[in-house]
């Protein structure tokens, strides 16, 4: 396993890792100067602003069907209208809010569960590790969308909030695996052993010593989680599990599919929401890529050998 | 051998877990949905008929634990119940009818994305920092984030609706006779192109990126540097020295992408009305056909779990370190 170098240090002021603190600053400022990270941040910021300003930006009520149906984009209707005469731009702007919210809830919840499961399993080891690892392996290989559909078919009429929570409850396995292996490699480092010997409680070691050393992985995992949650939400809403009273990007696609956007040639109906999902997803991937290049020196400098960094952990 | 038994144990354990999940989920929900559905017939049918239907569909009022073991027994013996909507048909025969379409489309798309993605990955890793190495990763990031239902939609709109090059819906046209004959096969192929391309678009990027970083890692190894120094031709260096080793971890990535590809196929099949298992699942959930929903979830789980097992076995043959635990 190419254990990613835990160059990111502890926030705990007493922690014996002065050397690493310098490097941490380096990593984050490198991140904010990396062109791909900046591009990703700009795209994400654009859609986040769109979502926050939805009440101001949306010109009409997204549900009001009072316009001439199936108009192509114009100045009155930036993205045209639906077959029932709703303004698609208003739906799109409000959809940004719903979709990004579900994405954050799903990604955040799966991060928290994955972190707890992975760190606990990796830190404790033994049969607890065996059990938790088996559970997360099962969740890892079960096709999550199929599982989500089955759950949704029992839970009728869900709101975006509940959808986000269900996505979070089923999507934590990948993070758990990454955190587990990272915790296992950190748990034997000198600074953790020192913390144990000084009588720190397990909880404090896990959250005060180990967690801060994985902050780049936590960030990467959160972004992957949000990306996965957004795609899952789009899929579930498209299959009609989100109800038509909300307007998320997936719901717009669902309405477009049901409303015959295809056969009436209304490309303006289904192109924007999918494109927006893909762009937000790209922004997450861009930031992840930047993070990867910064924390994994092998990818950054080609043909350079891996150096042992254990010596830096200092006591 | 020990490794094999361990993996086999995990396979059986995880299939058991999927079955248990299937059993617990409907019973955890407020008001057993299966019983609610059954309640629809209440009053419309005489009690004896109701009783015989209960037996037919496999309901019982036995205590939960006995129900559970009955359920497990039924699953293991292949008695997966009867579909509500396609009434006299058994769940298993419905699955047998729809599953091959999904396996075909997903399988072909996966083979294409694996081969093309791996070669592209080798190429851009070798030409580090070339124009393709700068452009392709960003393109793949975009492709990876496209929802399957949207790419199906766009493809369908361009090639099915606007250009009318390819048929729009279903997996074969209704006016051909099913069997091994020319018209049927060509209709299957022309109906299958767009679905396969949809899965390919989202699937290929993982292979490119995975192969790229594996290649970069192997190209940094001493033996490659040494081979380069002693004057091995670039072609030999790429394929015989670096790519051969870099390809190994790609095998495990089949297992990782499998789940998302299967999920994507569900969305794709809905858009194209492609008669695969995902399409059947969507029909089953919208008509509240719970035996069918459970059966489909179970078969999807079993297929992915067994494939994972096969990949694990294959990988352990190719890389003995996995078996002996030396890799960790």
């Amino acid at each position: 396993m190419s254990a990613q170098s835990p160059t990111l240090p502890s926030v705990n002021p007493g922690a014996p890792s002065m050397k690493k603190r310098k490097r941490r600053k380096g990593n984050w400022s490198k991140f904010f100067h990396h062109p791909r990270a900046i591009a990703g941040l700009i795209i994400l910021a654009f859609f986040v602003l769109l979502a926050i300003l939805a009440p101001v930006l949306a010109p009409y009520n997204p549900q009001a069907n009072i316009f001439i149906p199936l108009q192509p984009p114009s100045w009155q209707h930036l993205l045209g209208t639906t077959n029932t005469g709703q303004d698609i731009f208003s739906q799109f702007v409000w959809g940004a809010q719903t979709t990004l919210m579900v994405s954050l809830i799903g990604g955040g919840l799966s991060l928290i569960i994955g972190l707890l499961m992975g760190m606990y399993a990796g830190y404790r080891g033994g049969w607890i590790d065996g059990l938790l690892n088996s559970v997360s392996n099962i969740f890892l290989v079960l096709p999550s969308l199929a599982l989500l559909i089955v759950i949704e078919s029992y839970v009728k009429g869900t709101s975006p909030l509940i959808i986000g929570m269900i996505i979070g409850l089923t999507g934590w396995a990948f993070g758990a695996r990454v955190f587990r292996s990272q915790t296992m490699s950190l748990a034997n480092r000198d600074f953790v052993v020192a913390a144990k010997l000084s009588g720190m409680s397990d909880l404090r070691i896990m959250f005060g010593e180990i967690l801060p050393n994985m902050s780049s992985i936590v960030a990467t995992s959160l972004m992957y989680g949000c990306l996965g949650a957004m795609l899952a939400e789009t899929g579930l809403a498209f299959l009609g599990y989100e109800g038509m009273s909300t307007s998320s990007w997936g719901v717009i696609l669902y309405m477009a599919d049901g409303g015959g956007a295809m056969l009436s040639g209304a490309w303006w109906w289904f192109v924007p929401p999918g494109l927006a999902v893909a762009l937000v997803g790209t922004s997450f991937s861009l930031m992840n890529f930047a993070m990867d290049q910064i924390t994994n020196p092998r990818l950054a400098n080609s043909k350079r050998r891996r150096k042992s960094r254990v010596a830096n952990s200092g006591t | 051998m020990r490794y094999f038994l361990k993996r086999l144990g995990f396979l059986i354990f995880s299939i058991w877990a999927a079955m248990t999940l299937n059993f617990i989920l409907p019973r955890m929900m407020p008001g057993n949905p299966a019983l609610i559905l059954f309640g629809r017939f209440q009053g419309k049918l005489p009690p004896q008929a109701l009783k015989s239907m209960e037996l037919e569909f496999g309901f019982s009022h036995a205590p939960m634990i006995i129900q559970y073991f009955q359920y497990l027994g039924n699953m293991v013996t292949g008695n997966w119940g009867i579909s509500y909507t396609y009434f006299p048909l058994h769940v298993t025969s419905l699955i047998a009818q729809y599953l091959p379409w999904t396996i075909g489309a997903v399988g072909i798309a996966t083979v294409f994305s694996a081969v093309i993605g791996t070669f592209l990955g080798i190429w851009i890793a070798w030409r580090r920092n070339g124009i393709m190495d700068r452009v392709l990763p960003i393109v793949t990031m975009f492709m990876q984030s496209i929802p399957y239902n949207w790419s199906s939609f766009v493809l369908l709109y361009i090639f099915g609706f606007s250009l009318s090059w390819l048929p729009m819906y279903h997996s074969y046209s209704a006016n051909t006779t099913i069997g091994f004959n020319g018209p049927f096969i060509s209709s299957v192929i022309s109906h299958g192109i767009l679905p396969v391309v949809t899965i390919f678009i989202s699937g290929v990027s993982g292979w490119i990126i995975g192969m790229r970083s594996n290649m970069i890692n192997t190209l940094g190894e001493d033996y490659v540097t040494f081979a380069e120094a002693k004057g091995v031709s670039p072609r030999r260096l790429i394929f015989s020295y670096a790519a051969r080793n870099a390809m190994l971890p790609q095998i495990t990535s089949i297992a990782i992408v499998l789940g998302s590809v299967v999920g994507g196929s569900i969305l794709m099949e809905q858009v194209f009305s492609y008669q695969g298992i995902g399409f059947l699942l969507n029909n089953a959930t919208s008509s509240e056909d719970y035996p069918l929903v459970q059966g489909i979830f179970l078969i999807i789980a079993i297929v992915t779990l067994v494939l994972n097992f096969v990949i694990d076995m294959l990988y352990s043959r190719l890389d003995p370190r996995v078996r002996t635990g030396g890799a960790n």
Side-chain angles (χ1 to χ4, degrees):
Chain A
M1 292 281 108
S2 67
Q4 277 197 348
S5 61
T7 40
L8 311 179
S10 157
V11 276
N12 188 347
S17 49
M18 292 304 286
K19 216 173 198 171
K20 285 194 293 175
R21 180 165 305 140
K22 259 187 212 153
R23 296 188 62 159
R24 176 205 202 175
K25 255 186 193 153
N27 269 346
W28 283 104
S29 77
K30 262 187 223 156
F31 179 76
F32 288 112
H33 285 96
H34 196 287
R36 286 193 177 162
I38 296 170
L41 282 170
I42 290 174
I43 299 173
L44 186 64
F46 172 77
F47 283 103
V48 169
L49 271 179
L50 203 66
I52 294 173
L53 297 177
V56 188
L57 285 175
Y60 312 104
N61 177 353
Q63 305 296 333
N65 37 5
I66 46 175
F67 306 105
I68 304 163
L70 289 176
Q71 287 182 78
S74 64
W75 283 113
Q76 276 82 40
H77 303 286
L78 285 175
L79 297 176
T81 57
T82 70
N83 68 333
T84 54
Q86 294 167 326
D87 180 55
I88 295 172
F89 182 69
S90 307
Q91 292 187 340
F92 178 79
V93 173
W94 281 103
Q97 200 172 63
T98 314
T99 301
L100 291 183
M101 191 192 73
V102 173
S103 156
L104 190 65
I105 293 172
L109 190 62
S110 58
L111 174 74
I112 292 170
I113 300 175
L115 208 53
L116 292 177
M117 294 278 276
M119 279 204 324
Y120 194 64
Y123 185 74
R124 292 304 292 267
W127 68 271
I128 295 177
D129 176 42
L131 182 73
L132 293 182
N133 194 33
S134 301
V135 173
S136 53
N137 275 340
I138 290 174
F139 271 91
L140 195 69
V141 288
L142 283 182
S144 54
L145 192 68
L147 181 61
L148 286 171
I149 290 173
V150 172
I151 296 176
E152 287 287 335
S153 76
Y154 296 126
V155 191
K156 293 279 154 50
T158 42
S159 66
L161 180 74
I162 294 178
I163 287 201
M165 286 170 66
I166 295 175
I167 292 172
L169 284 173
T170 52
W172 47 268
F174 192 73
R177 189 144 117 160
V178 177
F179 294 130
R180 172 179 171 265
S181 60
Q182 190 66 17
T183 307
M184 277 165 84
S185 82
L186 285 174
N188 295 322
R189 296 285 168 91
D190 292 344
F191 70 96
V192 175
V193 176
K196 266 186 204 164
L197 289 176
S198 73
M200 242 188 221
S201 71
D202 286 352
L203 263 173
R204 269 194 71 191
I205 294 177
M206 276 193 266
F207 288 94
E209 297 292 331
I210 294 178
L211 182 60
N213 279 294
M214 317 197 279
S215 60
S216 70
I217 306 179
V218 171
T220 310
S221 169
L222 177 67
M223 287 187 278
Y224 273 126
C226 289
L227 172 62
M230 183 173 64
L231 289 175
E233 189 264 352
T234 309
L236 284 177
F238 172 74
L239 295 174
Y241 291 110
E242 207 172 278
M244 298 194 232
S245 53
T246 54
S247 29
S248 75
W249 289 337
V251 171
I252 301 178
L253 287 172
Y254 171 61
M255 305 288 262
D257 189 38
M262 180 76 60
L263 296 174
S264 43
W267 54 267
W268 58 86
W269 194 354
F270 62 83
V271 169
L275 198 61
V277 170
L279 281 174
V280 174
T282 308
S283 80
F284 286 134
S285 302
L286 282 167
M287 288 186 277
N288 271 335
F289 190 92
M291 191 66 99
D292 230 25
Q293 287 219 314
I294 292 164
T295 52
N296 192 349
R298 265 209 166 182
L299 287 174
N301 317 312
S302 71
K303 303 192 178 183
R304 174 110 20 112
R305 279 204 67 203
R306 174 171 39 186
K307 277 181 234 149
S308 167
R309 225 165 282 95
V310 184
N312 283 348
S313 52
T315 21
Chain B
M1 197 60 200
R2 211 174 136 249
Y3 180 77
F4 172 79
L5 287 178
K6 219 171 133 190
R7 297 313 302 168
L8 190 69
F10 177 72
L11 175 69
I12 293 167
F13 175 65
S14 46
I15 290 176
W16 167 78
M19 284 177 182
T20 307
L21 207 62
N22 236 345
F23 178 82
I24 294 174
L25 273 178
R27 285 166 180 80
M28 246 168 52
M29 300 305 158
N32 186 341
L35 287 180
I36 290 173
L37 186 94
F38 211 65
R40 282 190 203 159
F41 296 105
Q42 210 95 41
K44 290 179 194 157
L45 291 169
Q48 301 97 303
L50 217 57
K51 190 80 193 162
S52 64
M53 255 181 87
E54 267 183 33
L55 287 174
E56 190 95 333
F57 285 119
F59 288 122
S60 77
H61 299 286
M64 203 62 107
I65 187 80
I66 293 173
Q67 276 188 43
Y68 176 62
F69 283 107
Q70 274 174 349
Y71 174 82
L72 282 187
N74 283 342
M75 293 296 114
V76 172
T77 51
N79 179 13
W80 290 14
I82 294 166
S83 158
Y84 296 157
T85 36
Y86 305 84
F87 172 60
L89 285 179
H90 280 265
V91 168
T92 37
S93 64
L94 277 165
I95 288 173
Q97 192 186 328
Y98 283 78
L99 190 63
W101 293 101
T102 302
I103 291 184
V106 168
I108 292 170
T110 306
V111 169
F112 272 113
S113 26
V115 173
I116 295 175
T118 301
F119 273 102
L120 281 174
I122 293 174
W123 184 41
I124 62 173
W126 181 249
R127 306 221 169 252
R128 241 6 255 290
N129 299 324
I131 180 83
M132 279 315 275
D133 186 41
R134 285 171 193 284
V135 174
L136 211 56
I138 296 179
V139 173
T140 57
M141 282 174 200
F142 182 75
M143 277 164 45
Q144 219 166 13
S145 317
I146 297 174
Y148 281 82
N149 45 342
W150 190 66
S151 43
S152 337
F153 236 101
V154 172
L155 286 173
L156 202 53
Y157 182 76
I158 297 173
F159 297 103
F161 177 74
S162 299
L163 301 173
S164 304
W165 285 355
L166 292 164
M168 292 183 69
Y169 297 115
H170 308 301
S171 44
Y172 55 90
S173 63
N175 51 20
T176 53
T177 44
I178 298 175
F180 199 75
N181 56 57
F184 177 70
I185 290 170
S186 71
S187 127
V188 167
I189 291 174
S190 64
H191 281 80
I193 291 175
L194 289 182
V196 167
V197 171
T198 302
I199 301 177
F200 174 80
I201 285 176
S202 306
V204 72
S205 20
W207 294 96
I208 299 177
I209 295 303
M211 193 60 196
R212 177 180 176 273
S213 53
N214 293 345
M215 265 306 264
I216 289 170
N217 277 338
T218 5
L219 285 174
E221 295 286 349
D222 288 342
Y223 74 90
V224 176
T225 318
F226 179 67
E228 201 177 2
K230 84 176 177 190
V232 172
S233 75
R235 193 194 181 81
R236 214 171 124 76
L237 189 70
I238 296 172
F239 290 104
S240 309
Y241 282 73
R244 248 174 103 171
N245 281 328
M247 246 175 318
L248 263 182
Q250 288 285 87
I251 293 171
T252 47
S253 73
I254 299 178
I256 295 168
V257 298
L258 201 65
S260 73
V261 168
V262 168
S265 171
I266 297 174
L267 296 171
M268 175 279 286
E269 286 167 18
Q270 182 64 19
V271 177
F272 289 109
S273 303
Y274 195 80
Q275 283 108 315
I277 203 83
F279 186 66
L280 189 64
L281 177 63
N282 292 327
N283 282 349
T285 50
S286 57
S287 56
E288 306 189 338
D289 188 347
Y290 292 108
L292 194 54
V293 171
Q294 294 190 333
I296 292 170
F297 176 68
L298 198 57
I299 196 76
I300 291 178
I302 289 176
V303 170
T304 36
L305 291 171
V306 168
L307 267 172
N308 265 290
F309 174 74
V310 171
I311 290 163
D312 271 343
M313 287 301 109
L314 200 69
Y315 193 60
S316 76
R317 293 283 317 162
L318 295 172
D319 188 348
R321 281 176 303 179
V322 178
R323 253 175 312 172
T324 55
N328 279 333

